[in-house]
């Protein structure tokens, strides 16, 4: 399938030798460096200096990166915290933004006293430290920084025990940030420290590590509003390095409408940016409530502003799966994946159906019909929320925790909790973000996100394509032809089809992670609203491995299970390397708004808790699954009548 999924091209595909020479001259030189023969005299007077060629600009390097019109899949991280997030630092994180990028590129780092490596480098990363306290963290970590000698920071730097760290976290993060009027702590040394942290540390690291065509950094941060402990967090990502002097934090306002207004102001100044909500499962209903923050019903203007800036939503992360929950979708046999039930027991976050992504994106169709604008016109992306500074550290068989000592030891992972959020054993390593983009550059990756041509996986690097159109091939057999036809005769994931007079065809293709498990099936989830505006959905198996056939109840038999839980192993004796198929909606109504998204399932594999237990000769935990079916989700395709 190389024609579909070309690897990220080396830096300088199409770049001249002169430009490449300039890039590497400081390291090794180009065409020079050989020892002189012994009989060659060395001039005693310095030769006239030849001006060194100027190093290529970012624009020049980007211009040398070839484009693939059929697009490639790029995998990365949109949600990771380093030592510049106060809660991460309190928990022992000492990985800086610079080191986080190095880890993402395949370099070793030390976490919780042990060396750790991602194994496979990423294509792109956005470091998303909490904006609220980056100035305080600059004072804490940079020698000679203003305020660095504050006795309270000396105390912070000396925290050792988990109990001490927890007390600090509650005092300066939890009680503050979850109140009605969050504010800087008493050891804040002023706005210049915030500016220094943002400009000299976070953005500098993004500039230093950007390698167009090989590795993309995305400037960003997290806006961390949590009124009354209801999660309203957003990751704000910029298209390029045209960014404001300082980020807008929840200390300026914990009202998301004020965040969007600030984002609109940045757009007027020339920035391009988007916001990604996350952890809707812990939002206590605030993420998708029917009222604005003035207590009035959502208006068309509210919906327009929200859909303009919030083009994606994080489907799942360390604190659980926000797609669906088995309690509210009992007919969906795969709704029990990483439900993270204990999230609902902290801070009165008891789950409701209205907290979950599937409900929200379908409810958006109701607003579309009533307001003419959909406030939840959301594509899907992934992230980890890792607080160890480790982007996309998602491998189940090599999981070392995500929040310092809270889950950094075997015992803590089996019996502890991630403070204020979840039992450690119910947490997940998180998800990985993916996009289909023409090349691996800041603009192309961001543009793919903005166009919602994005998908998310629970960790494996599964690739999935999804198209819809009135005249697509109903029996695709060639993956490249499926893609070409999808772009020319239909729309890809994230797109909208309108005003059809005939039933559209949906075409799908998926391939396994080359280093992972085979695929079980591809499903399409259809969503619509009934006459009362209530979300409805249906799950359809479209393509599957083996010679299974649906039963009388319409359900496809399970793929099987090769996992040996005593050894924490599995085999690819079942499942498929690649799946392809199509589906035509028999209930399609050209007058009814609808949406469709794809879910791809792997065969069963061991969960990280099983690997942990077997590796340490301990019994399996009885109250969490021993196996899981990793998966991928595409952004929806929407249908809108004219």
């Amino acid at each position: 399938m190389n024609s579909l999924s070309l690897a990220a091209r080396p830096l300088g595909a199409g770049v001249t030798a002169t430009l490449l020479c300039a890039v590497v001259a400081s390291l090794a030189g180009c065409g020079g460096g050989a020892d002189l023969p012994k009989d060659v005299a060395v001039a005693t007077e310095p030769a006239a200096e030849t001006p060194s060629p100027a190093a290529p600009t970012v624009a020049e390097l980007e211009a040398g990166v070839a484009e693939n019109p059929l697009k490639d899949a790029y995998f990365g991280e949109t949600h990771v915290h380093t030592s510049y997030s106060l809660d991460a630092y309190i928990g022992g994180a000492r990985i800086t933004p610079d080191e986080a990028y190095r880890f993402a590129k395949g370099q070793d780092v030390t976490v919780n006293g042990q060396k750790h490596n991602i194994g496979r480098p990423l294509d792109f990363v956005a470091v998303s430290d909490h904006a609220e306290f980056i100035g305080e963290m600059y004072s804490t970590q940079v020698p000679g920084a203003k305020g660095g000698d504050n006795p309270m920071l000396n105390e912070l730097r000396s925290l050792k025990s988990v109990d001490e760290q927890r007390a600090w976290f509650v005092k300066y993060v939890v009680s503050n940030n979850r109140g009605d009027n969050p504010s800087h702590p008493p050891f804040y040394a002023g706005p210049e420290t915030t500016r220094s942290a943002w400009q000299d540390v976070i953005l500098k690291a993004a500039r230093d590590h950007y390698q167009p065509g090989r590795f993309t950094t995305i400037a960003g941060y997290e806006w961390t509003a949590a009124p009354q402990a209801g999660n309203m967090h957003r990751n704000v990502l910029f298209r390029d390095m045209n960014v404001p002097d300082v980020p807008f934090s929840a200390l300026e306002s914990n009202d998301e409408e004020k965040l969007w207004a600030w984002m609109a102001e940045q757009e007027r100044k020339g920035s391009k940016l988007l916001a990604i909500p996350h952890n809707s499962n812990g939002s206590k209903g605030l993420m998708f409530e029917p009222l604005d923050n003035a207590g009035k019903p959502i208006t068309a203007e509210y919906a327009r502003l929200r859909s303009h800036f919030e083009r994606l939503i994080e489907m799942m992360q360390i604190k659980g799966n926000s797609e669906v929950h088995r309690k509210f979708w009992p007919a969906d046999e795969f709704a029990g994946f990483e439900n993270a039930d204990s999230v609902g027991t902290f801070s009165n976050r008891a789950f409701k159906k209205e907290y979950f992504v599937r409900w929200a994106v379908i409810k958006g169709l109701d607003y579309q019909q009533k307001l003419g604008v959909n406030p939840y016109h959301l594509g899907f992306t992934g992230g980890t929320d890792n607080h160890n500074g480790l982007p996309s550290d998602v491998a189940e068989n090599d999981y070392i925790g995500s929040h310092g000592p809270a889950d950094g030891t075997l015992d803590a992972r089996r019996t502890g909790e991630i403070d204020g959020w979840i039992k450690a054993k119910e947490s997940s390593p998180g998800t990985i973000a993916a996009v289909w983009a023409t090349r691996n550059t800041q603009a192309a990756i961001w543009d793919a996100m903005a166009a919602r041509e994005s998908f998310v996986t629970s960790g494996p690097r599964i690739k999935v394509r999804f198209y819809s159109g009135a005249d697509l091939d109903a029996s695709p057999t060639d993956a490249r032809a499926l893609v070409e036809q999808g772009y020319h005769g239909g729309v890809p994931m994230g797109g909208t089809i309108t005003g059809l007079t005939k039933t559209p065809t949906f075409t799908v293709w998926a391939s396994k992670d080359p280093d992972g498990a085979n695929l079980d099936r591809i499903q399409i989830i259809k969503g619509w609203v009934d006459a009362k505006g209530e979300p409805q959905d249906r799950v359809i198996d479209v393509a599957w491995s083996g010679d299974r056939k649906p039963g009388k109840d319409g359900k496809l038999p399970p793929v099987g299970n090769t996992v040996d839980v005593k050894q924490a192993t599995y085999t690819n004796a079942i499942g498929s390397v690649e799946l392809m198929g199509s589906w035509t909606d028999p209930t399609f109504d050209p007058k009814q708004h609808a949406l469709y998204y794809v879910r791809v399932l792997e065969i069963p594999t061991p969960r990280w808790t099983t690997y942990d237990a077997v590796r340490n000769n301990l019994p399996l935990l009885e109250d969490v699954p021993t196996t899981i079916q990793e998966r991928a989700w595409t952004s929806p395709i929407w249908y809108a009548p004219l």
Side-chain angles (χ1 to χ4, degrees):
M1 303 315 303
N2 290 337
S3 61
L4 283 176
S5 312
L6 302 177
R9 295 174 179 79
L11 173 62
V15 178
T16 66
T18 301
L19 285 178
L20 285 175
C21 179
V23 174
V24 302
S26 62
L27 297 177
C30 285
D35 292 337
L36 291 172
K38 293 182 179 179
D39 58 350
V40 175
V42 178
T44 57
E45 294 294 327
E49 292 188 5
T50 302
S52 299
T57 65
V58 168
E60 289 172 328
L61 292 175
E62 288 179 338
V65 181
E67 292 190 275
N68 175 14
L70 293 184
K71 304 181 182 179
D72 295 308
Y74 296 106
F75 294 91
E77 171 72 277
T78 63
H79 191 179
V80 63
H81 297 278
T82 75
S83 62
Y84 276 78
S85 289
L86 176 57
D87 57 345
Y89 185 92
I90 290 173
R94 295 299 182 267
I95 300 295
T96 64
D98 176 82
E99 292 168 317
Y101 287 127
R102 294 182 187 278
F103 175 79
K105 293 161 106 174
Q107 297 182 25
D108 290 342
V109 297
T110 300
V111 178
N112 297 331
Q114 57 185 308
K115 193 169 289 186
H116 197 53
N117 189 289
I118 195 172
R120 284 188 289 175
L122 299 171
D123 297 313
F124 66 90
V125 170
V127 169
S128 58
D129 281 311
H130 302 291
E132 288 68 34
F133 307 114
I134 55 173
E136 289 86 333
M137 300 322 301
Y138 185 83
S139 296
T140 302
Q141 297 178 81
V142 176
K146 182 179 179 181
D149 57 354
N150 187 300
M152 298 177 74
L153 293 186
N154 291 332
E155 182 183 355
L156 171 60
R157 285 185 284 258
S158 66
L159 295 177
K160 299 297 182 185
S161 73
V162 174
D163 288 341
E164 290 176 328
Q165 293 168 348
R166 182 177 291 115
W168 256 79
F169 179 67
V170 170
K171 183 175 182 180
Y172 293 112
V173 179
V174 175
S175 59
N176 182 5
N177 206 42
R178 295 177 183 175
D180 292 331
N181 297 294
S183 61
H184 284 285
F187 48 85
Y188 181 50
E192 66 187 79
T193 61
T194 298
R195 185 174 294 104
S196 294
W198 176 241
Q199 297 285 348
D200 300 342
V201 178
I202 295 170
L203 296 183
K204 182 180 185 300
R207 290 189 180 97
D208 289 348
H209 287 280
Y210 181 31
Q211 297 173 280
R214 293 183 60 188
F215 181 76
T216 289
T217 58
I218 300 174
Y221 72 92
E222 182 177 314
W223 177 81
T224 317
Q228 305 305 313
N231 187 82
M232 291 293 282
H233 305 180
R234 267 85 170 168
N235 291 328
V236 179
L237 306 185
F238 295 85
R239 187 176 188 265
D240 50 36
M241 300 309 292
N242 184 356
V243 299
D245 287 341
V246 293
F248 182 87
S249 79
L251 302 182
E252 280 69 63
S253 176
N254 64 358
D255 180 340
E256 71 278 8
E257 295 169 50
K258 299 287 180 60
L259 171 66
W260 303 331
W262 176 84
M263 293 175 73
E265 180 183 351
Q266 303 316 305
E267 275 196 336
R268 289 190 290 271
K269 294 178 179 179
S271 293
K272 291 187 177 181
L273 63 170
L274 55 79
I276 303 174
H278 56 267
N279 267 128
S280 64
N281 64 338
S283 67
K284 301 175 76 171
L286 298 179
M287 191 69 78
F288 308 124
E289 62 181 342
L291 306 176
D292 64 19
N293 285 338
K296 299 179 180 179
I298 290 175
T299 64
E301 180 55 31
Y302 171 101
R304 189 174 296 108
L305 193 62
R306 181 166 187 168
S307 65
H308 176 71
F309 288 117
E310 299 193 354
R311 295 170 176 266
L312 301 173
I313 190 166
E314 190 177 273
M315 182 65 88
M316 174 179 147
Q317 56 134 275
I318 280 163
K319 301 182 187 81
N321 177 8
S322 290
E323 182 206 6
V324 287
H325 189 286
R326 67 191 184 285
K327 179 178 178 181
F328 309 114
W329 281 271
D332 184 346
E333 60 188 303
F334 298 104
F337 180 66
E338 299 294 347
N339 283 163
D341 289 343
S342 61
V343 167
T345 67
F346 289 91
S347 300
N348 297 314
R349 296 191 186 99
F351 293 150
K352 293 184 179 179
K353 190 172 189 176
E354 293 80 5
Y355 297 7
F356 290 86
V357 170
R358 187 186 293 178
W359 180 91
V361 293
I362 299 174
K363 183 63 179 177
L365 302 175
D366 183 42
Y367 286 108
Q368 179 74 48
Q369 294 173 189
K370 293 175 178 176
L371 302 176
V373 188
N374 183 350
Y376 308 139
H377 190 187
L378 296 163
F380 301 154
T381 190
T384 61
D385 198 18
N386 185 292
H387 277 59
N388 288 338
L390 305 179
S392 295
D393 189 34
V394 293
E396 300 278 334
N397 65 350
D398 192 31
Y399 188 51
I400 61 170
S402 63
H403 280 66
D407 61 353
T409 66
L410 175 65
D411 183 63
R413 286 192 293 276
R414 289 172 67 88
T415 64
E417 63 185 47
I418 296 173
D419 290 330
W421 266 105
I422 189 174
K423 292 180 180 178
K425 62 187 174 183
E426 290 188 10
S427 67
S428 162
T431 55
I432 191 167
V435 296
W436 289 102
T438 56
R439 57 183 185 162
N440 190 4
T441 62
Q442 289 176 341
I445 298 294
W446 190 94
D447 287 348
M449 292 182 181
R452 306 178 181 88
E453 197 168 353
S454 63
F455 61 104
V456 50
T457 88
S458 58
R461 301 194 189 184
I462 300 167
K463 295 177 183 177
V464 54
R465 298 275 205 176
F466 181 39
Y467 300 93
S468 181
D471 298 308
L472 298 187
D473 187 351
S475 302
T477 57
D478 179 80
R480 184 181 181 89
L482 180 150
V483 173
E484 290 176 337
Q485 190 181 52
Y487 281 125
H488 292 111
V491 300
M493 63 183 78
T496 300
I497 48 178
T498 60
L500 297 182
T501 57
K502 58 187 289 189
T503 303
T505 295
F506 296 88
T507 55
V508 292
W509 168 87
S511 67
K512 70 181 286 290
D513 182 333
D515 296 339
N518 281 345
L519 303 180
D520 167 12
R521 68 186 74 192
I522 299 176
Q523 299 178 312
I524 288 179
I525 291 85
K526 177 185 177 180
W528 71 98
V529 293
D530 63 19
K532 296 181 180 179
E534 292 299 317
Q536 307 294 320
D537 61 83
R538 178 186 169 205
V539 180
I540 304 98
D541 292 312
V542 174
W544 53 85
S545 63
D547 57 0
R548 294 172 287 166
K549 295 181 180 180
K552 293 181 180 180
D553 60 356
K555 298 288 187 181
L556 188 68
V559 67
N561 192 333
T562 67
V563 175
D564 180 343
V565 294
K566 294 182 180 179
Q567 301 296 323
T569 60
Y570 72 94
T571 71
N572 276 328
I574 57 175
S576 294
V577 171
E578 178 185 57
L579 292 172
M580 189 184 328
S582 69
W583 177 69
T584 301
D585 182 1
T587 62
F588 177 73
D589 181 351
K591 297 180 181 180
Q592 182 183 60
H593 288 266
L595 64 80
Y596 307 81
Y597 69 89
V598 164
R599 188 170 62 187
V600 181
L601 300 174
E602 281 189 350
I603 65 172
T605 54
R607 191 175 189 266
W608 70 264
T609 43
T610 299
Y611 284 114
D612 237 6
V614 171
R615 187 163 44 238
N616 293 280
N617 297 313
L618 291 172
L620 299 173
L621 294 172
E622 296 181 354
D623 48 359
V624 294
T626 56
T627 67
I628 55 173
Q629 284 191 258
E630 303 262 32
R631 58 199 61 195
W633 302 262
T634 72
S635 292
I637 291 174
W638 287 264
Y639 172 74
L642 287 178

